Amino acid sequence: APEPEPEAEDSAAGEQESIFHALRFAARFFHERLARGDDADHARRYLQDRGLETGTVKKFGVGYAPDAWDGLLEAARAARITEENLEKAGLILPRREGGGWYDRYRNRLIFPILSHVGKVLGFGGRILVDDPNQPKYVNSPETPVYHKSRVLYGLYQAKQAIRGREEAVLVEGYTDVMALHQAGVEHVVASSGTALTSDQVRLIGRYARRVLLLYDADDAGARAAARGIELCLEGGLVPYVVALPSGEDPDSFVRAHGGEAFEQYLAERRQEFVEYLHDRARAEGTLDAPESRAAAQHAVVRTIGRIPDPLLRESYLQQAASIMDVPDMFLRRALKQEDRRSRRERRPGPADRAASREPAAAPLPASGAGGGQVAESRVEPLPEEKTLLRLMLENGSEMVAYVLSRTSLDEFTEGAARDAATRLVELYQEGRLDTRPFLDGTYGSDVQALASEVMTDAFEPSRNWSRRSINVPQLNDDPHAAAASAMTLLKLDRLDAMIADVRRALFVAEQEGGDVRGLQEELLALQQLRRQIEERQFLT
């Protein structure tokens, strides 16, 4: 884009400064009216009833908008501030009939919203007289200087405390922030009447490493907490969640119990996000059935996948494995599946046809899942899959861990091969590995036939594999070497199918004159991955 002309830059800067001047004037006007206005007694009583002291009111610049259509407007005119700049600042509105203007804020308690350096950006106005026809809050609109998704209420007053603690507490209301500051808990901000945004997380990240999310324990609060967790993780922050006792908010809690009790409550009741999500799933009953339990586990894995730091991601993955009682190798594999799915979703277009060969992520194995019949299928597994199944059946849990920590369930052919691998996962989790249910029909006739085939002495890896530069030892010579070779061949077969699909899609796109850059990049990535598999990097 061309550089703006100097005149345009000067004009924009001049407009912003005029708006800031109008906002500063309005903040002083409202604050003075609260402090000295004869018509502000009820506003002062409201603050007293909420336990907010004069020093706290002054610290946050709280004010009062008089019960008049043009109280601010007339004062601003006398100060030679134009209606144009007042409107741009979000302070007045045009009348629908007859022309002229009127104040946006009337008979309301006013909370100035400041930038992190203390500039007045906008206002929140709370109603003082119950009126079902009026909203509880009237907030500043988006203006050239105010974007609510990029602002945190109270950050100007809290930033030094947040920097010192390397931690920010996020609450919902203006008075929550004020009451906590008054009680000595100063590392507190609010999201200015909007759900938490990525811009606000980045703003917190300038001062803190940790965020404590205070939300109600109801469904709406749980959804807000889950979204806040995701945004904090994506922004490189460590989120904790704290739920106050039922019926309490930070304002009421600190007035009843004091700041020290509030700090102690935060220290004792804060939950790391994995524990919080797992406890929510338990409270909602989603851990009671294998299908919903797997869905809850996948939700935790998806959330962990938002962490950009690989070491921190690995730490939380191990914590999740412990909390959910699922081996970490299965969570790690599920995380890889989620990563692949995310890449497909970010890369729409013809390439999706290639990626669509890969089945959706298989459910995580449910702890203690029982037997029962599996769906019948007649799809013939690949020879290397048969080798892997025999090795796992013959060599027990150690071989199951070796193979299935490096091979996804969805790499096995859908049908008997994948069903058998899934059953091996379940038995591994239960701490036992018994070949009898594979051979006696407990897991279905297809699994029984496959297990009988692979367990016979006549079954051995094909000598033809060596023609593909894959040397597969006899199974009894070196089981781990045989498993490594079989996994390599299986991964190459799956990847070659994807490469062929991308090449076909690339050919079609070229014939139709479409954009082929994305497909070319995907093809290069797949070819690079193929070289890594040939080098057996997945084994390490």
Side-chain angles (χ1 to χ4, degrees):
E3 290 292 327
E5 295 292 333
E7 293 83 356
E9 290 182 346
D10 292 343
S11 176
E15 178 190 53
Q16 286 201 347
E17 185 50 47
S18 297
I19 294 171
F20 281 129
H21 175 62
L23 291 164
R24 285 194 300 271
F25 176 85
R28 287 195 299 269
F29 171 83
F30 292 139
H31 187 64
E32 286 292 319
R33 200 64 178 249
L34 175 67
R36 298 178 177 83
D38 294 336
D39 57 348
D41 286 342
H42 61 310
R44 292 189 286 266
R45 280 197 304 274
Y46 173 86
L47 292 169
Q48 290 170 1
D49 291 343
R50 297 297 294 262
L52 294 172
E53 301 168 357
T54 301
T56 304
V57 170
K58 185 175 181 181
K59 178 180 180 180
F60 286 88
V62 180
Y64 169 69
D67 190 9
W69 289 100
D70 58 359
L72 173 64
L73 177 60
E74 289 301 319
R77 281 172 174 163
R80 298 183 180 180
I81 299 173
T82 66
E83 290 90 345
E84 179 184 10
N85 287 328
L86 291 171
E87 184 185 24
K88 288 179 180 178
L91 294 167
I92 62 173
L93 295 164
R95 294 184 182 274
R96 294 180 181 177
E97 298 178 1
W101 311 84
Y102 65 96
D103 289 354
R104 179 182 294 273
Y105 304 102
R106 303 178 306 281
N107 194 24
R108 288 180 178 269
L109 199 65
I110 301 297
F111 300 91
I113 299 169
L114 309 182
S115 73
H116 66 288
V117 295
K119 287 189 174 183
V120 182
L121 303 176
F123 300 94
R126 191 195 191 284
I127 197 169
L128 287 166
V129 179
D130 290 337
D131 184 347
N133 298 316
Q134 293 291 328
K136 184 177 180 180
Y137 278 94
V138 170
N139 298 308
S140 286
E142 297 281 307
T143 72
V145 302
Y146 177 57
H147 307 283
K148 63 182 180 180
S149 65
R150 305 176 191 171
V151 178
L152 288 162
Y153 179 76
L155 181 61
Y156 175 66
Q157 293 87 350
K159 63 183 181 182
Q160 295 303 328
I162 292 172
R163 183 181 282 120
R165 305 270 297 251
E166 295 188 331
E167 179 176 283
V169 178
L170 186 70
V171 298
E172 294 185 357
Y174 302 127
T175 54
D176 290 332
V177 173
M178 294 173 62
L180 289 170
H181 273 255
Q182 181 172 287
V185 184
E186 296 187 337
H187 58 304
V188 183
V189 292
S191 55
S192 297
T194 181
L196 186 65
T197 69
S198 56
D199 285 329
Q200 290 169 340
V201 168
R202 280 193 290 272
L203 192 56
I204 295 173
R206 297 181 185 179
Y207 307 95
R209 296 175 54 249
R210 298 179 300 276
V211 179
L212 270 66
L213 306 169
L214 265 66
Y215 287 109
D216 294 337
D218 57 14
D219 290 342
R223 288 192 297 272
R227 180 59 180 154
I229 287 168
E230 292 176 353
L231 289 171
C232 289
L233 291 174
E234 289 172 350
L237 300 180
V238 177
Y240 292 83
V241 181
V242 180
L244 290 177
S246 179
E248 293 270 26
D249 58 32
D251 182 8
S252 64
F253 186 99
V254 78
R255 279 195 286 159
H257 306 289
E260 289 186 10
F262 184 82
E263 292 262 32
Q264 184 176 356
Y265 188 93
L266 294 186
E268 294 175 351
R269 300 300 182 95
R270 68 176 63 192
Q271 287 185 293
E272 290 189 306
F273 76 90
V274 173
E275 181 184 11
Y276 168 77
L277 294 175
H278 190 253
D279 284 355
R280 283 295 307 178
R282 180 188 293 112
E284 294 167 357
T286 55
L287 301 183
D288 297 338
E291 312 84 48
S292 57
R293 180 163 61 246
Q297 291 166 347
H298 273 296
V300 172
V301 169
R302 279 194 297 273
T303 303
I304 293 173
R306 296 179 180 274
I307 301 173
D309 183 342
L311 294 179
L312 190 59
R313 181 191 294 200
E314 175 64 22
S315 176
Y316 277 117
L317 203 65
Q318 293 178 14
Q319 183 189 62
S322 175
I323 290 173
M324 298 191 298
D325 193 25
V326 176
D328 59 353
M329 65 179 179
F330 299 134
L331 296 184
R332 197 169 289 107
R333 186 173 65 244
L335 182 57
K336 290 179 181 178
Q337 293 169 343
E338 295 293 348
D339 285 343
R340 289 197 296 269
R341 179 181 295 167
S342 297
R343 286 196 295 270
R344 289 200 299 268
E345 290 173 353
R346 290 193 301 266
R347 195 175 57 234
D352 290 342
R353 289 193 289 272
S356 67
R357 286 186 59 92
E358 187 174 12
L364 284 172
S367 301
Q373 299 295 315
V374 297
E376 300 290 323
S377 175
R378 299 297 177 187
V379 180
E380 179 67 17
L382 297 170
E384 58 264 36
E385 296 175 87
K386 296 179 181 179
T387 296
L388 291 172
L389 291 170
R390 174 170 175 172
L391 286 166
M392 288 187 284
L393 287 167
E394 285 190 341
N395 293 278
S397 295
E398 192 274 337
M399 183 60 73
V400 172
Y402 179 71
V403 172
L404 293 181
S405 64
R406 295 164 174 83
T407 308
S408 299
L409 288 176
D410 57 16
E411 289 184 78
F412 286 86
T413 299
E414 187 174 5
R418 190 181 300 171
D419 291 339
T422 301
R423 295 301 183 181
L424 286 165
V425 168
E426 293 171 355
L427 292 173
Y428 176 88
Q429 281 194 274
E430 294 171 4
R432 61 187 179 89
L433 194 60
D434 187 355
T435 60
R436 285 176 297 179
F438 292 88
L439 297 169
D440 65 11
T442 301
Y443 296 151
S445 59
D446 280 358
V447 170
Q448 180 185 28
L450 178 59
S452 298
E453 177 188 353
V454 303
M455 292 294 286
T456 61
D457 289 336
F459 177 79
E460 284 287 354
S462 170
R463 295 293 184 184
N464 292 330
W465 291 4
S466 60
R467 298 176 185 174
R468 299 183 60 182
S469 301
I470 306 292
N471 180 30
V472 183
Q474 294 297 286
L475 302 188
N476 295 328
D477 294 343
D478 189 341
H480 283 84
S485 297
M487 285 189 285
T488 301
L489 189 61
L490 178 58
K491 291 176 183 296
L492 290 176
D493 280 341
R494 299 306 185 208
L495 199 58
D496 286 343
M498 294 178 68
I499 289 172
D501 276 354
V502 174
R503 283 176 171 158
R504 282 192 292 270
L506 185 58
F507 175 78
V508 172
E510 288 172 343
Q511 295 298 310
E512 295 176 353
D515 188 356
V516 299
R517 286 175 296 178
L519 289 168
Q520 290 172 336
E521 291 173 359
E522 184 172 2
L523 183 59
L524 288 173
L526 290 174
Q527 289 169 336
Q528 182 180 5
L529 179 58
R530 195 183 194 286
R531 287 192 294 272
Q532 293 171 353
I533 291 172
E534 287 177 331
E535 295 168 0
R536 301 195 178 190
Q537 293 184 20
F538 68 93
L539 294 177
T540 59

